[in-house]
Amino acid sequence: DQYRPEVALVEFGDYHPLKPIMVTDTKTRRGARKGSTSSSSSSSSSAPVDPLSSMLDGTDPLSMFAAASASETPAMSHSKVVGPDFEHWLSKRGEILARFTTTEKLSIQCFFASVSGKALSPGSSAVSEKVRTRLEELDDLEEGSQRELLNLSQQDYANRIEELNQSLKEAWASDQKVKALKIVIQCSKLLSDTSVIQFYPSKFVLITDILDTFGRLVYDRIWTMCSDPRPLPVYSILTFLSETCLNWFFKIASIRELLPRLYPSSSSRNVELGIQETLPRLTAMIRGIGDPLVAAYARAYLCRVGMEVAPHLKDSLNRNFFDLLSTFKQISAESVQNQLVLQRVEVPEYLTLYSPAINWILQCIAYRAPEDYVNCAEIWVEFTCRHFTKREVNTVLADIIKHMTPDRAFEDAYPQLQSVIRKILTYFHDFSLLFSMERFLPFLDMFQKDSVRVEVCKSIMEVFIKHQVELTRDPVILNAMLHICKTMHDSVNALTLEDEKRSLALLIIGFIRMVSFGRDFEQQLSFCVEARATFCNLEPVLVQLIHTVNQLAMETLRVVRGSHSRKTAAFVRACAAYSFITIPSLSSIFSRLSLYLLSGQVALANQCLSQSDAFLQAAVSILPEVPRSISIEGKLRSSESFLLDFINNFLATLLVVPDHPEHGVLYLVRGLLNMVQDYTWEDNSDAKVRVYISALPLLAAMSQETYLYSIPKVDSNETLYGGDPKFLSEINKLCETLIGQILDHLKALGRDESPRRQGALAFSLFGVLLAHGDLRNNKLSQLSVNLWNLSHKHGYCETRISVRTLEYIKHQAQQPDMVHLSDTVQRLALQSRT
């Protein structure tokens, strides 16, 4: 231990393992630096000429390799390493050993000869003698220094391999390097034996364990040899490492057989030296292996070593893969087929033997390749969808997730990932089948850019709405679609355009309309409660949910067919509570008005009178909030026409709504008219008066003994009051008040010189009196004549309508109980427009 190895300078142009060897040995005392040795000796010796050397002219592969290596800058590469996202070989080892087993008897060629060290003559020829002796020892391997063990079980075989592994470590530890190399060479030879072909993948695993051990020992020795407590110049270390590695390569390159030369060359991490040239060279060597199965596993091993030292070099991986593809035609060769017949192995079973090797090579190629991998997956997923089942498609999706998740690689592949989704949706229209794929929703989670994620969800929803024909209650579909719709909903913010909100809302509404739990009304209501919480920011969706709940309440009424049980009543009250809570959250005043009215009508139909009153009163209470103008498709328009339509519908409902015993006669009618009276109408507007005119037919209908329409099992005012004179008196007073307000307005229009508006209103009031008034009353008859004349006074009334009105009155006058109209019609005259 007083000396450490120093660099042995070799002239690569003259040196070859099979040529006469000239070695220069330089010894340096410990602590001395290169170039300042205290003593040195050099000697040269010449070995007997090998018969093979006479045939070498310096152009053989080994000489070319040596010359190429000599021209390189001696440096160890700082290669990239695989990350924790790469599934290492060790994780696959146990699975392969458990899967590929055999009950056949196995054989093994074992090396048993011990290496007896030959005495070296002292002096300057010591090194050359040592090299020659080691080469002779390597030749001894081919002269029967091993014997064959037969009839081994699988476990016995594994034990023998482990013994060889231990022998390798012991030989190396005792500085018997040649013996260690012989063990490696012998084990490499075993990989050419396919006599029990079903066991070959497991044999490969066991034997490559020994090769791995050899590689680690060589690598550790090289680094140990250059270690020194005192720092050396970097160039000195790198030069030493380079030449030491080359020395190992030359020793291994001298082995005549292909597999014993290939595997030790691949197993040593010395391939880091000149890695870009070494890997292609070793890849080309594999092409000389005749058995396609043996060649496939040799390629897998080389890819494994390449991933350990230089995972960023993809060219060699790709070359191995395409070489593998080109050898598959050899499977149908006579030699392979004869071997399968001899061993009674079917071709499908034989092909499964390739799977570990192919899977490994593909894993190496696909590692951290975002772009190459996903472009390939984008194409293959269509093939899988077209020709296979959801199981295979799910496998493809899982593989894409596995490759695209590390380092958020999916962020650079959104177009390809979107294409994958589109192709799946093209072939899978059964959404129960689609969403039962375990990896489909996790695949969607890779779309983390808001705009892209929303587009993907929209595409799914569009296909669902188009192809989902039947209503569904499938929990798989519901949970997945709720997730997708929530994703769309959650993308809405203050900057979202109205068109985009409308588009998203329509898609979500399309989903809601396809959900039905049949007669399980409570489950349907629970779904609507969940949907309300999920889609609270999209008003059209909330509106749809309220409509759905009202339809649910009416469906309950239809199913029970009038039998109003306590359970049914409780459910309807729950539906009413849902609507009553949800409606105030709407920003659109007309949506609130119409839904209050609709919900009140539904509650009334289900005999829930207090709930109906609450809805109708709520509608009346928000009338003052109606703006004078509203935005429709980006343009401001007057709200009067919409408000008048609502009030007319509201008035029609009030006919069947019974008065509340605590609120007085006609409390809803009076409340509505008071709100109309106080509302701030537009200037020069006749809307308020038109409401008064519309209220008169309602009051007239309420005074009848039998109402025009009613709701089953709901007692209207006709039943409550039974024609009570006080009730009729209240109706008459209210009618007189309204008519007075209308006439005052007509007089005001006359003063304002608005004859056209005056004539139109007068004719409208005339029509109401004619249809609903008792013209046997002289005052009312005279009022109707005056209104006719006023409407025609300035010639603005349309003649055609006037003529048809007169014809109608004449026709009615012929009825037995309408004779009094004969006198009235004679007093109605048409006036010209002059």
Side-chain angles (χ1 to χ4, degrees):
D1 58 355
Q2 299 297 317
Y3 298 93
R4 64 176 176 81
E6 189 52 78
V7 177
L9 301 178
V10 181
E11 295 295 334
F12 292 110
D14 296 331
Y15 173 73
H16 191 281
L18 300 181
K19 281 189 174 184
I21 303 171
M22 300 294 294
V23 181
T24 300
D25 181 36
T26 302
K27 296 182 179 178
T28 306
R29 293 184 183 274
R30 182 170 184 176
R33 301 301 178 90
K34 186 175 179 179
S36 60
T37 56
S38 59
S39 66
S40 65
S41 65
S42 84
S43 65
S44 65
S45 65
S46 130
V49 177
D50 190 293
L52 293 176
S53 64
S54 61
M55 302 300 294
L56 301 175
D57 59 0
T59 59
D60 64 286
L62 293 176
S63 297
M64 294 175 64
F65 171 69
S69 300
S71 64
E72 292 181 349
T73 301
M76 295 295 288
S77 63
H78 297 279
S79 59
K80 301 179 180 178
V81 295
V82 294
D85 54 324
F86 184 77
E87 186 177 2
H88 289 270
W89 175 258
L90 288 178
S91 64
K92 300 178 179 293
R93 183 180 182 278
E95 178 186 352
I96 296 175
L97 290 175
R99 178 181 177 189
F100 297 96
T101 60
T102 183
T103 56
E104 299 286 336
K105 295 301 181 181
L106 303 167
S107 64
I108 186 171
Q109 293 275 349
C110 285
F111 171 72
F112 292 98
S114 62
V115 179
S116 58
K118 297 182 179 179
L120 298 178
S121 59
S124 60
S125 63
V127 175
S128 60
E129 289 292 337
K130 182 177 180 180
V131 171
R132 183 165 55 253
T133 299
R134 287 187 172 179
L135 290 175
E136 291 173 355
E137 290 171 349
L138 288 176
D139 289 337
D140 288 344
L141 177 65
E142 301 174 9
E143 296 176 2
S145 57
Q146 67 276 342
R147 64 187 178 89
E148 186 175 17
L149 298 179
L150 302 174
N151 297 322
L152 298 177
S153 67
Q154 179 175 323
Q155 186 59 47
D156 292 337
Y157 189 92
N159 293 338
R160 293 296 182 183
I161 295 295
E162 179 58 29
E163 290 175 6
L164 286 175
N165 201 1
Q166 293 300 321
S167 298
L168 170 64
K169 296 177 183 178
E170 294 170 2
W172 192 271
S174 61
D175 202 29
Q176 300 182 65
K177 304 298 187 295
V178 173
K179 178 180 178 181
L181 183 57
K182 284 184 177 182
I183 293 175
V184 172
I185 292 173
Q186 184 58 44
C187 290
S188 300
K189 282 187 173 184
L190 293 175
L191 289 174
S192 64
D193 177 21
T194 58
S195 57
V196 184
I197 202 167
Q198 305 99 314
F199 184 64
Y200 190 84
S202 292
K203 176 194 287 189
F204 172 81
V205 169
L206 295 171
I207 293 176
T208 51
D209 286 347
I210 297 179
L211 299 176
D212 294 340
T213 300
F214 175 70
R216 286 192 297 271
L217 292 173
V218 172
Y219 189 77
D220 293 343
R221 172 175 169 77
I222 292 173
W223 280 105
T224 303
M225 290 173 67
C226 71
S227 63
D228 194 290
R230 302 181 181 181
L232 291 175
V234 174
Y235 179 77
S236 298
I237 294 177
L238 295 179
T239 301
F240 171 74
L241 291 176
S242 175
E243 295 178 354
T244 305
C245 293
L246 288 173
N247 184 32
W248 273 106
F249 273 134
F250 294 155
K251 288 179 181 178
I252 296 172
S254 67
I255 301 172
R256 295 191 183 98
E257 295 185 48
L258 180 54
L259 284 181
R261 185 166 72 249
L262 172 69
Y263 273 102
S265 299
S266 304
S267 67
S268 175
R269 289 190 62 184
N270 298 324
V271 294
E272 289 190 64
L273 178 67
I275 185 68
Q276 294 188 356
E277 292 76 21
T278 304
L279 286 178
R281 178 177 61 82
L282 295 175
T283 299
M285 288 175 62
I286 298 176
R287 296 172 184 167
I289 300 176
D291 190 304
L293 183 63
V294 176
Y297 278 90
R299 292 188 173 95
Y301 188 75
L302 184 58
C303 290
R304 176 182 158 198
V305 174
M307 288 300 290
E308 291 178 358
V309 298
H312 60 290
L313 297 179
K314 297 289 186 181
D315 288 344
S316 178
L317 299 174
N318 293 332
R319 190 173 302 176
N320 272 287
F321 176 67
F322 286 110
D323 282 355
L324 175 66
L325 294 180
S326 67
T327 62
F328 268 104
K329 59 186 177 183
Q330 297 178 9
I331 295 175
S332 58
E334 184 178 357
S335 59
V336 176
Q337 294 297 319
N338 290 341
Q339 185 183 29
L340 297 182
V341 171
L342 182 64
Q343 299 193 42
R344 299 179 180 179
V345 176
E346 298 294 333
V347 172
E349 180 184 0
Y350 173 69
L351 292 177
T352 62
L353 302 178
Y354 286 84
S355 60
I358 295 175
N359 287 340
W360 178 258
I361 294 173
L362 290 176
Q363 176 183 325
C364 295
I365 291 174
Y367 179 66
R368 292 189 179 176
E371 186 175 353
D372 293 339
Y373 170 81
V374 76
N375 286 337
C376 181
E378 177 190 357
I379 301 301
W380 278 100
V381 73
E382 182 173 10
F383 174 80
T384 310
C385 291
R386 179 179 294 180
H387 299 290
F388 295 90
T389 65
K390 74 163 189 176
R391 177 173 174 269
E392 289 75 21
V393 176
N394 188 63
T395 300
V396 173
L397 293 180
D399 197 64
I400 295 176
I401 294 171
K402 175 182 175 182
H403 285 84
M404 302 305 294
T405 301
D407 300 327
R408 300 177 67 86
F410 52 77
E411 292 182 342
D412 299 321
Y414 284 141
Q416 295 92 331
L417 297 178
Q418 284 179 276
S419 177
V420 170
I421 289 292
R422 285 194 297 270
K423 289 174 179 177
I424 292 176
L425 293 175
T426 300
Y427 293 95
F428 284 84
H429 296 156
D430 184 345
F431 281 82
S432 178
L433 192 67
L434 180 66
F435 291 137
S436 64
M437 295 184 196
E438 294 179 358
R439 310 311 298 170
F440 185 77
L441 291 181
F443 186 89
L444 295 183
D445 291 338
M446 289 196 295
F447 296 98
Q448 296 190 10
K449 185 178 180 181
D450 287 345
S451 58
V452 177
R453 182 169 65 247
V454 171
E455 285 303 315
V456 171
C457 291
K458 287 172 65 175
S459 65
I460 295 173
M461 291 302 305
E462 288 168 356
V463 175
F464 176 81
I465 293 172
K466 180 178 180 181
H467 294 282
Q468 185 69 28
V469 179
E470 298 181 353
L471 300 178
T472 182
R473 60 185 298 173
D474 187 332
V476 174
I477 294 179
L478 297 187
N479 291 333
M481 295 304 292
L482 279 172
H483 172 76
I484 292 171
C485 291
K486 185 178 187 302
T487 299
M488 296 192 300
H489 167 270
D490 292 348
S491 69
V492 175
N493 54 45
L495 300 179
T496 305
L497 298 177
E498 289 300 321
D499 286 345
E500 178 68 8
K501 289 182 182 180
R502 189 178 303 111
S503 174
L504 296 177
L506 288 175
L507 292 174
I508 297 175
I509 289 171
F511 160 61
I512 292 173
R513 288 175 174 171
M514 296 304 299
V515 177
S516 174
F517 290 87
R519 293 194 176 185
D520 190 349
F521 301 130
E522 293 181 356
Q523 187 64 32
Q524 186 85 31
L525 182 60
S526 297
F527 169 79
C528 291
V529 171
E530 180 181 0
R532 178 179 62 188
T534 304
F535 309 124
C536 58
N537 291 329
L538 288 175
E539 188 163 305
V541 178
L542 296 180
V543 172
Q544 176 61 44
L545 287 171
I546 296 171
H547 279 288
T548 300
V549 170
N550 282 317
Q551 292 171 0
L552 187 60
M554 293 304 296
E555 182 68 11
T556 305
L557 179 66
R558 185 188 68 81
V559 170
V560 298
R561 295 182 180 179
S563 58
H564 200 65
S565 65
R566 291 183 178 180
K567 184 177 180 180
T568 303
F571 177 77
V572 173
R573 287 196 294 270
C575 292
Y578 179 98
S579 299
F580 199 78
I581 293 172
T582 309
I583 293 174
S585 65
L586 305 178
S587 61
S588 170
I589 183 65
F590 283 105
S591 293
R592 280 184 279 159
L593 286 171
S594 61
L595 289 173
Y596 273 135
L597 177 57
L598 174 64
S599 300
Q601 293 168 341
V602 171
L604 190 63
N606 281 276
Q607 307 161 39
C608 295
L609 301 184
S610 59
Q611 285 77 16
S612 177
D613 272 350
F615 281 119
L616 298 178
Q617 289 184 59
V620 171
S621 67
I622 65 172
L623 281 177
E625 300 178 20
V626 177
R628 296 171 65 176
S629 60
I630 56 176
S631 177
I632 299 178
E633 296 181 353
K635 297 181 180 179
L636 285 178
R637 291 183 55 185
S638 172
S639 63
E640 276 191 1
S641 60
F642 299 98
L643 182 56
L644 290 176
D645 286 341
F646 167 76
I647 291 175
N648 287 334
N649 289 333
F650 192 88
L651 290 171
T653 302
L654 291 182
L655 176 63
V656 293
V657 177
D659 282 342
H660 195 285
E662 298 179 1
H663 295 158
V665 178
L666 303 177
Y667 79 100
L668 282 176
V669 177
R670 294 181 188 276
L672 175 64
L673 294 176
N674 289 336
M675 285 295 180
V676 171
Q677 176 72 28
D678 296 336
Y679 182 76
T680 304
W681 300 92
E682 293 183 12
D683 297 336
N684 300 319
S685 171
D686 301 324
K688 179 170 67 174
V689 175
R690 291 192 176 277
V691 173
Y692 293 161
I693 294 174
S694 298
L696 292 173
L698 169 65
L699 295 173
M702 285 183 168
S703 64
Q704 303 300 312
E705 293 182 1
T706 302
Y707 286 178
L708 298 174
Y709 48 86
S710 61
I711 295 178
K713 297 191 176 181
V714 174
D715 293 332
S716 302
N717 285 339
E718 62 175 336
T719 303
L720 294 180
Y721 295 110
D724 189 334
K726 292 183 178 179
F727 176 67
L728 298 178
S729 174
E730 289 293 329
I731 292 177
N732 289 331
K733 289 179 182 178
L734 192 51
C735 289
E736 290 175 0
T737 301
L738 293 178
I739 292 174
Q741 293 283 343
I742 297 171
L743 295 177
D744 289 342
H745 185 71
L746 290 175
K747 292 177 182 178
L749 290 178
R751 292 192 297 269
D752 295 339
E753 298 183 354
S754 301
R756 183 181 295 274
R757 290 167 55 197
Q758 184 187 53
L761 286 175
F763 193 79
S764 295
L765 182 55
F766 169 80
V768 169
L769 296 179
L770 179 64
H772 303 284
D774 185 1
L775 296 186
R776 288 172 295 188
N777 184 299
N778 292 331
K779 289 184 178 180
L780 204 56
S781 177
Q782 184 59 49
L783 177 59
S784 64
V785 172
N786 292 340
L787 290 171
W788 173 273
N789 294 332
L790 181 61
S791 64
H792 291 76
K793 180 177 180 181
H794 300 286
Y796 290 112
C797 191
E798 190 173 344
T799 305
R800 181 175 60 87
I801 295 178
S802 299
V803 171
R804 292 183 62 183
T805 302
L806 287 175
E807 291 176 352
Y808 169 77
I809 297 174
K810 291 177 182 178
H811 176 74
Q812 289 295 103
Q814 297 176 3
Q815 301 298 325
D817 55 343
M818 303 291 285
V819 178
H820 59 279
L821 291 180
S822 301
D823 179 61
T824 302
V825 75
Q826 293 177 2
R827 299 162 61 189
L828 303 179
L830 292 175
Q831 297 183 5
S832 64
R833 294 190 178 185
T834 56

